[in-house]
Amino acid sequence: MIFNSFQFLFLFLPVTLLGFYLLGRSSQKRAALWLLLASFVFYCSWDVRFLPILLLSMGGNFYLCRRIIAVPQASKKAWLSAAVVFNLALLGYFKYINFFIASINGLAAQDLQLLSIILPIGISFFTFTQLSILVDAYYGKVQAIDFLHYALFTSYFPYIVAGPVLHHKDMMPQFADPANYQVNGNNFAVGITLFAFGLAKKLLLADNLVPMVNAAFGSDHPQLLQAWLGVCAYSFQLYFDFSGYSDMAIGVSRLFGFQIPFNFNSPYKATSVSDFWLRWHVSLSRFLRNYLYIPLGGNRSGQWARYRNLLLTMLLGGLWHGANWTFVIWGGLHGLYLCVQHGWRGLRGDRAEPPGKLEAFANRALTFLAVMIAWCFFRAADVPSALNMLAGMVGGNGLSLEFAAGPFGYWMLAISAGMAFFMPNTNEMILHLESRFANKPSSFSLVPVRWSPGLRWGLATGILLALCILSMDKPQDFIYAQF
Amino acid sequence: MPPKTKIAGLSRFFLALGSAAVLLVAGVVTINYLIDPYSIHQWDSPLLKRLSPPQQKIVPWAKTYAASRYRPEVVYLGSSRTEIGLPTDTTVFQGKRLLNLAISAASLGDAINMLNHTSSFHRPEMVVWGLDYGWQFREKSGNSDFNQELVAAGPLKRLLLNLKRSVSLAMTTDAYAILFDPAAQKCEPILATFGQKPERCLEYIMADEGGTPKAFDKIINRGDLQAKPTDVQAAMQLLETVTRSYCAQGTAFRFFLHPVHALAELSYWETNWRELDRWKQDLAQMVDARRQEGCDIRLMDFSGYNAITTEPVPQVTGTETMRHYWEHSHYRAEVGQQILERLVAPTVEAKPGDFGAELNAQTIQQHLLSMQQGRDAYCASHPWETRNKALCKKTIAQGPGHK
């Protein structure tokens, strides 16, 4: 059951909301339990065999977290190590074991049998979400833990398929706040609008770019124009697919009164690769920084250690996305970009003045180009296919400028580019009324659109929602759901 | 968590949002349902005769509906080859309610689902079934529009499904084309010809896709290898169960293997023709077993290297069309008529004489040998057309009759 399906929109969501608020009137605990059960049902709708794995992860980590909190300081490290091993073992077995076997087969010319294993959806997300609470428990940042809230935090249905990666500091206080179990009109207005915007990004933009992307990446020899348009289209497809999912997840959660962190902040307006990572999949970037890069030493041990830590963090970040060398290379490329950027800054020295308009434009263009090149590896089925696409981009497969995408394809590409480069993002449009965003500077936008809950925006959101519902006849999965 | 800035006008916002969304969706659904461009709930209405675009969409929905209304006594099952090739305008089944329930890209499982569906309204007396080896010989569905919920759905469930399917702007676009765009109105809907794809639609589709010569270019130059079925045993078991169950109730079966063009035959099975032969043996064995149980069942193979399948290709003749074929794997209804005559009236003499062979325990070995000899002869007599076919190269290298 995906967000862009009739079952979710007209059955699961209304029933879950109704039950939640009816129960919430008499008992916060019952409402939370209802939401937990609904989350299990949502998770089982993919494959009921996934549930025992989620329960094992949840139960094991809850026990380990309790132990880390309870034991004396001297024993905490051993329990944390056990917890990390437990999580990596689960992730390693279900997600990576066949990748390792296939790699050994390839490197050592072996013929080891691949294992027949199911890959539970969202395992990367719920594993990382739990790792953060375990590490924070070790550092004494978590003093007590309630099972119901922990279980809900782990299996909460809006995030479990494709994030954002949740943090207990954001979620646990909200689950404990009785005010969040009462109907709140503001939450509904913001939630429905975010959901409608996310659905529109997915159905009206991302899904309509698929034919152009598939034509380019499915071609044996993509020529110059086809390669560029295909990679461009994929860059926008991925952005609108994933940020659309995130908007929907945030919107759905908001209907229940809980705010989950925003995940995108106009990433293609980034003026450097490090800026890109502050805007793209923000919750994962935050996790990688706090629980990998900084523990590795960050930039505290000199320039070369910083480069090593950056590369290692991005390589593992790449591998987190999927058990394939293409993701490792994608992560490695971003690590390399970050090293080059920091190296260049080191050579140039700090600048007192911000860059001018032309320089900012050039920075944005260069960053987008670098990100696009890396997306070739992210999208391609294997490394040779990615190299073939890159060869196409430099004319290695021919310089033909003929590519029959059709006027609709070009329109979709132009609209997507306009939205990504020149429009405010959903946070800026919808959440600007809220205190946590009130003082944040807006990103560069040609059209300063601002949402407010009135007649005009009600009509606009209603029409947008209707157009989306009318485009749901053949729902396509979200790209990040595979991770 | 209440925001700092007070949000006003919530009731107007919700009223406007709800009204706009409901009115727009309801309007589109009403238009779609009334115009019904894909005939998902039409059978004996005048709308069924209205001209449509050549590429008709969600055909399985239309056919499952037609099966429930028409309650056919004779049904055709299979993939697009059956849908295109087997005529419904035939004297072979005169006086019988006949429906072509084959659907494009159908798997074995799809055909069985269609058979179970139509039987839930009226058990057919005879099933004419075009079997496909390769990836389609499996239980899992091959047609993405063949929603399994459609199968034998009750009237209320069917109505809900149709309503759900009508929530679609794409359908409105097609409805608009049917109503206001004369250029889009090309040929009869598929139900107007009792489930057989209308010839006029095919002429448009072929012209749109570059014609018969272009289709043969592909098969001559590059080949078109068929993927192997993943679990032949499971699919064969399924077919056994279905035939046993229906035979016990008195349904007759006429199975046949399609007369794809000889070049397609060479290209599809060049790496796994032995598996294809084994599959034919298993089929013959299954049919024999049913016959011994008293079932009225036959299996005929029209594929191979006979006078129909070896028709000269446009690249050789210089013509734009072929007498027997739309393209390399889809034959014309005249060929389908001959198939029906041979299947249903065994006394009818084959025209030409080598078209179609009965498969059973007595004939199968000789038939498979004849196929190999026919292939060798075809390779030898058509060196230009078969120059890229691995099986033919092998023939040339090893001499005819290799094993």
Side-chain angles (χ1 to χ4, degrees):
Chain A
M1 184 163 37
I2 47 180
F3 288 165
N4 50 333
S5 67
F6 287 99
Q7 291 93 321
F8 177 82
L9 208 52
F10 295 114
L11 186 64
F12 178 84
L13 187 59
V15 169
T16 309
L17 271 173
L18 194 69
F20 178 76
Y21 283 114
L22 282 177
L23 291 167
R25 286 161 71 173
S26 57
S27 163
Q28 182 188 328
K29 209 165 206 166
R30 278 188 214 149
L33 188 61
W34 168 260
L35 197 50
L36 176 66
L37 292 175
S39 296
F40 288 158
V41 170
F42 181 82
Y43 193 62
C44 285
S45 69
W46 267 272
D47 190 332
V48 75
R49 292 175 301 167
F50 294 167
L51 188 63
I53 300 158
L54 175 67
L55 293 177
L56 173 69
S57 170
M58 180 200 297
N61 278 311
F62 178 73
Y63 171 76
L64 289 162
C65 193
R66 289 279 290 261
R67 295 304 304 156
I68 293 169
I69 292 168
V71 296
Q73 190 61 37
S75 311
K76 282 185 192 293
K77 197 164 193 172
W79 280 102
L80 177 65
S81 304
V84 171
V85 168
F86 171 66
N87 280 287
L88 293 185
L90 271 184
L91 201 56
Y93 179 74
F94 286 105
K95 188 163 177 173
Y96 296 107
I97 188 96
N98 277 335
F99 169 63
F100 289 127
I101 293 174
S103 300
I104 290 168
N105 284 346
L107 291 171
Q110 295 290 308
D111 191 21
L112 302 174
Q113 188 75 33
L114 294 181
L115 304 179
S116 173
I117 301 171
I118 52 164
L119 174 59
I121 198 162
I123 189 169
S124 304
F125 288 98
F126 67 69
T127 303
F128 271 33
T129 286
Q130 293 181 99
L131 272 172
S132 65
I133 197 168
L134 293 164
V135 174
D136 285 358
Y138 170 78
Y139 284 115
K141 294 176 189 170
V142 180
Q143 303 300 335
I145 183 169
D146 170 79
F147 180 72
L148 180 58
H149 290 168
Y150 181 84
L152 188 54
F153 165 66
T154 308
S155 57
Y156 189 39
F157 80 86
Y159 101 98
I160 198 161
V161 173
V165 179
L166 297 185
H167 197 275
H168 61 94
K169 258 195 330 197
D170 298 324
M171 301 309 295
M172 293 302 201
Q174 293 189 69
F175 290 144
D177 185 352
N180 289 332
Y181 293 81
Q182 306 305 320
V183 176
N184 180 320
N186 297 335
N187 280 339
F188 265 79
V190 171
I192 290 173
T193 310
L194 273 169
F195 187 82
F197 277 43
L199 199 57
K201 282 181 177 180
K202 164 72 176 158
L203 295 171
L204 306 183
L205 294 175
D207 286 355
N208 282 322
L209 291 166
V210 171
M212 199 183 253
V213 174
N214 287 350
F217 280 89
S219 168
D220 292 339
H221 303 289
Q223 299 214 0
L224 190 68
L225 183 67
Q226 186 179 28
W228 276 100
L229 288 176
V231 177
C232 243
Y234 181 64
S235 304
F236 296 123
Q237 183 208 345
L238 184 62
Y239 170 50
F240 288 118
D241 190 283
F242 190 22
S243 74
Y245 181 90
S246 297
D247 288 346
M248 277 187 264
I250 296 165
V252 166
S253 183
R254 195 61 182 262
L255 294 175
F256 290 91
F258 305 118
Q259 296 184 8
I260 56 180
F262 73 92
N263 217 14
F264 286 88
N265 189 21
S266 299
Y268 293 151
K269 294 177 188 172
T271 52
S272 66
V273 175
S274 58
D275 187 23
F276 173 81
W277 280 103
L278 293 172
R279 296 161 174 268
W280 178 274
H281 203 173
V282 176
S283 62
L284 179 68
S285 304
R286 183 174 68 166
F287 180 92
L288 291 175
R289 186 191 64 221
N290 292 344
Y291 298 101
L292 191 56
Y293 177 67
I294 291 175
L296 280 171
N299 58 3
R300 296 190 300 274
S301 310
Q303 201 70 344
W304 290 109
R306 172 194 232 179
Y307 295 154
R308 181 201 62 204
N309 295 338
L310 277 173
L311 266 174
L312 207 55
T313 302
M314 296 313 291
L315 281 170
L316 289 172
L319 192 59
W320 174 88
H321 282 81
N324 195 324
W325 285 108
T326 51
F327 293 115
V328 178
I329 294 175
W330 170 76
L333 265 177
H334 273 277
L336 196 66
Y337 292 159
L338 288 168
C339 293
V340 170
Q341 180 192 323
H342 286 293
W344 169 250
R345 276 193 189 156
L347 283 174
R348 190 193 61 188
D350 286 336
R351 287 167 41 156
E353 289 178 6
K357 276 186 180 174
L358 192 65
E359 190 183 342
F361 174 79
N363 288 344
R364 265 196 283 271
L366 190 63
T367 304
F368 184 62
L369 177 68
V371 168
M372 266 204 322
I373 288 169
W375 286 144
C376 285
F377 289 92
F378 199 87
R379 168 62 175 79
D382 47 39
V383 177
S385 307
L387 294 174
N388 188 31
M389 182 57 72
L390 288 174
M393 289 169 77
V394 295
N397 293 328
L399 299 170
S400 170
L401 294 177
E402 280 181 30
F403 173 53
F408 183 71
Y410 292 117
W411 271 110
M412 289 317 303
L413 196 58
I415 291 169
S416 301
M419 298 278 291
F421 292 137
F422 304 117
M423 292 283 285
N425 58 57
T426 37
N427 310 322
E428 293 163 345
M429 284 164 74
I430 299 169
L431 302 177
H432 64 99
L433 295 172
E434 302 194 347
S435 54
R436 63 190 171 131
F437 290 99
N439 300 321
K440 287 212 170 192
S442 293
S443 64
F444 168 77
S445 299
L446 284 182
V447 194
V449 184
R450 290 286 182 270
W451 174 87
S452 62
L455 189 68
R456 275 177 19 193
W457 273 104
L459 273 175
T461 311
I463 291 169
L464 193 65
L465 195 57
L467 289 176
C468 292
I469 291 169
L470 292 168
S471 306
M472 283 190 347
D473 50 335
K474 283 200 172 177
Q476 297 200 29
D477 282 343
F478 291 90
I479 295 172
Y480 259 71
Q482 63 183 297
F483 306 140
Chain B
M1 200 181 293
K4 261 186 184 172
T5 314
K6 193 177 175 185
I7 300 180
L10 276 178
S11 45
R12 274 185 300 168
F13 172 80
F14 286 122
L15 189 68
L17 186 149
S19 313
V22 169
L23 285 175
L24 195 54
V25 172
V28 166
V29 169
T30 307
I31 290 170
N32 289 346
Y33 201 78
L34 289 178
I35 297 172
D36 193 11
Y38 308 146
S39 308
I40 60 175
H41 60 99
Q42 307 297 328
W43 178 243
D44 43 9
S45 82
L47 290 180
L48 208 58
K49 303 287 177 194
R50 182 183 54 193
L51 292 181
S52 297
Q55 289 283 16
Q56 291 169 29
K57 296 179 185 168
I58 56 171
V59 168
W61 290 62
K63 288 195 171 178
T64 47
Y65 184 77
S68 74
R69 294 295 305 276
Y70 190 47
R71 298 166 183 242
E73 294 158 301
V74 177
V75 296
Y76 301 160
L77 296 177
S79 61
S80 57
R81 280 171 277 283
T82 310
E83 185 178 52
I84 290 170
L86 284 205
T88 47
D89 179 21
T90 174
T91 52
V92 174
F93 299 107
Q94 211 157 24
K96 298 283 183 194
R97 291 194 305 276
L98 166 65
L99 200 56
N100 188 329
L101 289 176
I103 51 176
S104 175
S107 65
L108 179 77
D110 288 329
I112 290 171
N113 280 329
M114 196 60 104
L115 174 60
N116 290 337
H117 172 74
T118 193
S119 301
S120 69
F121 303 101
H122 179 87
R123 184 182 54 76
E125 294 165 17
M126 181 174 279
V127 176
V128 181
W129 197 329
L131 290 169
D132 297 274
Y133 189 58
W135 69 269
Q136 284 164 293
F137 196 65
R138 65 177 191 194
E139 185 176 5
K140 196 181 158 200
S141 182
N143 183 307
S144 59
D145 278 329
F146 193 17
N147 187 334
Q148 297 309 303
E149 290 172 332
L150 289 168
V151 175
L156 181 64
K157 197 174 173 193
R158 181 83 196 193
L159 178 71
L160 286 173
L161 281 169
N162 287 346
L163 277 174
K164 180 179 150 187
R165 198 62 183 78
S166 301
V167 182
S168 157
L169 269 183
M171 197 189 249
T172 316
T173 313
D174 288 334
Y176 176 86
I178 284 179
L179 286 179
F180 304 112
D181 182 6
Q185 300 161 13
K186 302 284 192 192
C187 50
E188 311 92 316
I190 200 160
L191 291 189
T193 47
F194 294 86
Q196 187 198 359
K197 193 139 191 159
E199 286 208 356
R200 202 138 65 98
C201 295
L202 281 161
E203 281 162 9
Y204 282 111
I205 292 169
M206 285 308 296
D208 213 37
E209 293 182 356
T212 308
K214 189 177 173 190
F216 271 91
D217 270 345
K218 188 181 160 198
I219 206 82
I220 291 169
N221 294 325
R222 291 202 310 184
D224 187 18
L225 288 174
Q226 281 274 3
K228 281 186 189 179
T230 45
D231 194 347
V232 183
Q233 286 309 315
M236 195 60 83
Q237 188 61 47
L238 195 61
L239 195 57
E240 287 246 17
T241 310
V242 170
T243 49
R244 185 172 288 128
S245 160
Y246 278 90
C247 283
Q249 297 171 67
T251 295
F253 283 93
R254 294 291 178 269
F255 288 106
F256 69 98
L257 310 184
H258 297 283
V260 298
H261 192 273
L263 284 172
E265 183 81 6
L266 276 169
S267 303
Y268 288 166
W269 313 120
E270 66 178 1
T271 56
N272 51 341
W273 62 272
R274 285 184 183 83
E275 281 96 326
L276 178 69
D277 282 0
R278 262 197 296 278
W279 179 69
K280 289 180 184 179
Q281 286 172 314
D282 290 347
L283 280 178
Q285 203 175 356
M286 188 270 290
V287 166
D288 279 350
R290 289 296 86 71
R291 196 180 297 114
Q292 280 162 17
E293 290 162 10
C295 186
D296 178 5
I297 188 168
R298 294 184 69 202
L299 167 66
M300 291 195 76
D301 188 357
F302 295 94
S303 68
Y305 306 88
N306 51 55
I308 300 277
T309 57
T310 55
E311 181 181 355
V313 297
Q315 282 74 2
V316 173
T317 59
T319 55
E320 286 298 307
T321 56
M322 290 171 73
R323 185 176 163 208
H324 300 308
Y325 288 93
W326 293 102
E327 41 89 286
H328 49 81
S329 81
H330 293 96
Y331 46 91
R332 289 176 182 268
E334 291 82 355
V335 178
Q337 174 66 25
Q338 292 187 50
I339 292 174
L340 288 176
E341 286 170 5
R342 293 275 284 138
L343 278 173
V344 178
T347 50
V348 171
E349 203 173 304
K351 299 174 285 183
D354 63 348
F355 186 55
E358 181 103 30
L359 298 192
N360 55 42
Q362 282 77 45
T363 60
I364 185 77
Q365 292 306 333
Q366 180 55 44
H367 173 68
L368 296 179
L369 189 64
S370 304
M371 287 282 280
Q372 285 180 34
Q373 289 165 347
R375 184 179 64 213
D376 295 345
Y378 184 74
C379 289
S381 58
H382 295 77
W384 182 83
E385 294 97 313
T386 60
R387 65 194 183 281
N388 293 320
K389 306 296 167 220
L391 273 172
C392 290
K393 286 177 188 164
K394 216 171 163 187
T395 304
I396 293 160
Q398 298 184 357
H402 70 277
K403 294 285 183 286

